[in-house]
Amino acid sequence: MTQVVRQTTRDLRRHNRAALLSSLYLRGPVSRLELVAESGLSAATVTNVVSELIADGVVAEAGSVESDGGRPRTLLAVRPDFGHVVGVDVGETHVEVGLFDCALGTLGTVRHPLVGTRLDPGEVAGLVRTGIAEVLEGGEPGKVFGVGIGVPGAVRDGGVVHAPTLGWRGVAFGDLVHPHIDAPLHLDNRARTLGQAETWRGAGRGAERAIVA
């Protein structure tokens, strides 16, 4: 029997908000007209959601561009200072941690070397935690929206890592890190995270397909 999933008004509002924030984050600065065309939402809905985002301090006006007749179009963008995210690159030779604003501007980085070929997961997790604490020192940890970690291996079952180059098989790396940080944690293969970053904000931005070597 097919189960009917009913959406509440709150669900719909959350969906609309997430859709517009995604467009603003990945493509901004953009105008309200462009948001209407990209999201498929009505002009009234876009106007209402954007007004809420501006009132909440998430989005701000970012200049204007000439339109094809009529008034110039106001551009909108996510405010860089609204919050922070942390990115962690676990490689075969190093652990690098970066603190970024909401526009992915770099606010600080630290790098710790790794020695050896069979690395102890607990020691690597300790370096990750130390690096996160270092980049957040003097900042506002409560404004960190999430921590992303790229590892040189396959990630399964919510943070279990299989990384032959590190000598790891079935290591619950997420469990070694997450209890010590006050933010959502996401683990993935580091090649995939690099490719995602390039398509979001780097050389592959705007492309339907990209190859990362």
Side-chain angles (χ1 to χ4, degrees):
M1 180 181 294
T2 302
Q3 185 177 4
V4 178
V5 179
R6 300 184 183 278
Q7 274 196 329
T8 65
T9 302
R10 178 178 295 180
D11 292 333
L12 188 59
R13 184 181 296 113
R14 185 183 297 116
H15 173 270
N16 293 343
R17 186 181 175 103
L20 295 185
L21 269 176
S22 178
S23 293
L24 285 164
Y25 180 75
L26 298 178
R27 295 192 56 245
V30 294
S31 67
R32 289 173 176 81
L33 187 62
E34 289 171 302
L35 288 175
V36 169
E38 183 167 316
S39 68
L41 300 173
S42 69
T45 297
V46 168
T47 296
N48 290 336
V49 174
V50 166
S51 296
E52 291 176 4
L53 292 172
I54 291 175
D56 291 342
V58 185
V59 170
E61 294 184 351
S64 61
V65 293
E66 294 297 326
S67 62
D68 298 329
R71 299 169 56 187
R73 290 178 293 169
T74 300
L75 298 177
L76 304 162
V78 175
R79 284 183 52 184
D81 61 350
F82 182 69
H84 304 144
V85 292
V86 175
V88 181
D89 177 36
V90 177
E92 289 85 356
T93 60
H94 68 273
V95 169
E96 185 169 2
V97 182
L99 179 66
F100 306 90
D101 61 26
C102 279
L104 286 190
T106 303
L107 302 177
T109 60
V110 295
R111 186 182 179 99
H112 293 282
L114 296 173
V115 180
T117 56
R118 299 187 66 84
L119 302 171
D120 179 77
E123 292 182 7
V124 176
L127 290 177
V128 170
R129 298 194 300 266
T130 297
I132 292 173
E134 288 172 340
V135 296
L136 292 178
E137 187 175 359
E140 300 179 52
K143 293 185 68 177
V144 175
F145 295 134
V147 175
I149 302 178
V151 294
V155 180
R156 299 187 178 91
D157 303 323
V160 176
V161 178
H162 301 268
T165 58
L166 301 181
W168 295 1
R169 181 183 293 273
V171 173
F173 194 67
D175 292 342
L176 296 175
V177 177
H178 201 191
H180 302 272
I181 59 175
D182 187 22
L185 175 68
H186 179 74
L187 268 76
D188 207 338
N189 175 269
R190 69 191 295 242
R192 185 178 292 115
T193 59
L194 174 61
Q196 187 69 77
E198 288 295 337
T199 55
W200 278 357
R201 310 291 289 189
R205 187 176 185 181
E208 291 186 8
R209 295 181 177 86
I211 297 175
V212 179

